[in-house]
Amino acid sequence: MVLSLAVIGVLVGAIYFFIPHDDSATAEKNAVQTVDTRVEIITARRAAPYPVAAPENLPKTWRTTSVTYKASNDGKGGAWHLGLLDPEQQYAAVEQSDAPAKQFIQDVTLGATKVAGQQAVGGKKWDRYQGDTYKALVNEEPGVTTVVTGTAPYGRLAELAGALVAKKG
């Protein structure tokens, strides 16, 4: 039995040393794929009943990792999502919808609640939300709610919110 374990140990050691693996920070950074958003942004801006917000002139150290637009059957409640990683590899997302604001905010912030204070971003005041998982900045306007949420700190969320440009296609 001991001889069998020794043979297995040698085999495992050989596999570890001869099969390539990369535990560096570069490998961790490259594990998440970056996506191109140009077509999806144009499509969402044409389909959405509200001006769709997407970042412009955001530093290249931000990486877009996901993008979707889901239209609703009744023309209300369409949802825009743009997921990113900030320069410190923290998650941030832009979420927009014309659905009822209260439920939409709860859904995209994973249950965060409004806290005292607001964040000034580009001449607008955004409400702050804090939850167990996500922080969020929320801007409610007639016909659309915009939420910038994620694990990134409020300063990074404000940087993303400040880069948003809302356009209708």
Side-chain angles (χ1 to χ4, degrees):
M1 184 182 200
V2 172
L3 187 56
S4 295
L5 286 173
V7 170
I8 291 172
V10 169
L11 183 61
V12 169
I15 290 171
Y16 180 79
F17 285 112
F18 293 112
I19 293 182
H21 57 279
D22 190 353
D23 297 330
S24 68
T26 304
E28 182 180 329
K29 183 177 179 181
N30 292 334
V32 176
Q33 296 295 317
T34 301
V35 297
D36 186 7
T37 61
R38 290 174 290 183
V39 172
E40 287 83 358
I41 290 171
I42 292 168
T43 303
R45 285 179 170 163
R46 287 182 184 156
Y50 51 84
V52 170
E56 291 185 4
N57 301 318
L58 199 59
K60 296 215 185 287
T61 52
W62 287 77
R63 296 185 310 135
T64 306
T65 59
S66 61
V67 58
T68 58
Y69 176 75
K70 293 180 184 170
S72 65
N73 294 333
D74 62 0
K76 292 296 257 179
W80 167 246
H81 161 82
L82 186 67
L84 304 103
L85 288 178
D86 78 356
E88 283 79 38
Q89 306 304 302
Q90 291 296 312
Y91 179 70
V94 177
E95 308 282 356
Q96 273 188 304
S97 182
D98 59 347
K102 185 176 180 179
Q103 187 60 50
F104 174 69
I105 293 166
Q106 287 297 302
D107 291 345
V108 298
T109 64
L110 304 180
T113 56
K114 192 173 180 178
V115 295
Q118 291 184 315
Q119 183 84 34
V121 178
K124 292 182 182 177
K125 297 284 187 181
W126 293 61
D127 293 324
R128 286 182 174 219
Y129 281 69
Q130 178 72 48
D132 293 335
T133 307
Y134 286 167
K135 297 174 193 68
L137 298 176
V138 176
N139 183 26
E140 293 182 57
E141 295 179 344
V144 66
T145 302
T146 304
V147 179
V148 178
T149 188
T151 59
Y154 284 116
R156 288 289 185 194
L157 296 178
E159 182 181 351
L160 176 56
L164 294 179
V165 175
K167 295 181 185 175
K168 185 79 177 113

